[in-house]
Amino acid sequence: MLPEVTPTQAQAHLADGALLLDVRELNEWEAARVEGALHIPLGELPKRFRELPAGRAIICICHSGSRSGKAQRFLLSAINKQAVYNLTGGILRWSSEGLPLRGFATRSSRNGGRPV
């Protein structure tokens, strides 16, 4: 099993210098994001992963945790000596736990874009 963190655990890692990597698409990023996160969409990650700082833990985040899990697996193979975590539940869980966001997260366009 690959290492995962909850939003609360992620905040502790971020306070210790970890990087939050948001792998969602640009429209999702523009709608809601965690302040200070680095945005590299999952599809661009194979070309851009060298932009990530060496030696820092990385926490991958997406909408619900699926794409960030893919990003985590890729990064673990590409930069194998670095700690890489998946944020369980993604930005939806981050938002549902009342943690700060710039904008607001929605469940999907099917719910009319209502905040979670």
Side-chain angles (χ1 to χ4, degrees):
M1 180 130 166
L2 297 174
E4 295 187 336
V5 293
T6 66
T8 302
Q9 292 167 328
Q11 283 194 308
H13 284 288
L14 294 171
D16 287 339
L19 171 75
L20 187 63
L21 174 64
D22 193 320
V23 298
R24 296 173 302 141
E25 295 300 318
L26 181 60
N27 63 322
E28 295 172 287
W29 165 260
E30 290 174 339
R33 64 183 168 271
V34 177
E35 194 69 41
L38 174 65
H39 178 239
I40 300 178
L42 180 61
E44 297 176 19
L45 194 56
K47 295 178 184 172
R48 297 183 54 196
F49 76 92
R50 288 175 187 84
E51 295 174 26
L52 300 172
R56 285 176 69 185
I58 297 170
I59 302 168
C60 302
I61 186 173
C62 67
H63 187 72
S64 64
S66 179
R67 285 174 286 174
S68 55
K70 291 177 184 178
Q72 177 193 31
R73 286 187 293 280
F74 169 78
L75 290 173
L76 285 170
S77 67
I79 49 177
N80 61 4
K81 294 191 181 195
Q82 203 161 335
V84 182
Y85 302 93
N86 184 26
L87 192 132
T88 57
I91 202 162
L92 288 177
R93 184 166 174 187
W94 184 279
S95 176
S96 72
E97 291 188 14
L99 299 174
L101 282 178
R102 193 168 179 193
F104 63 91
T106 59
R107 290 205 182 274
S108 72
S109 58
R110 292 178 297 209
N111 75 347
R114 291 186 304 273
V116 286

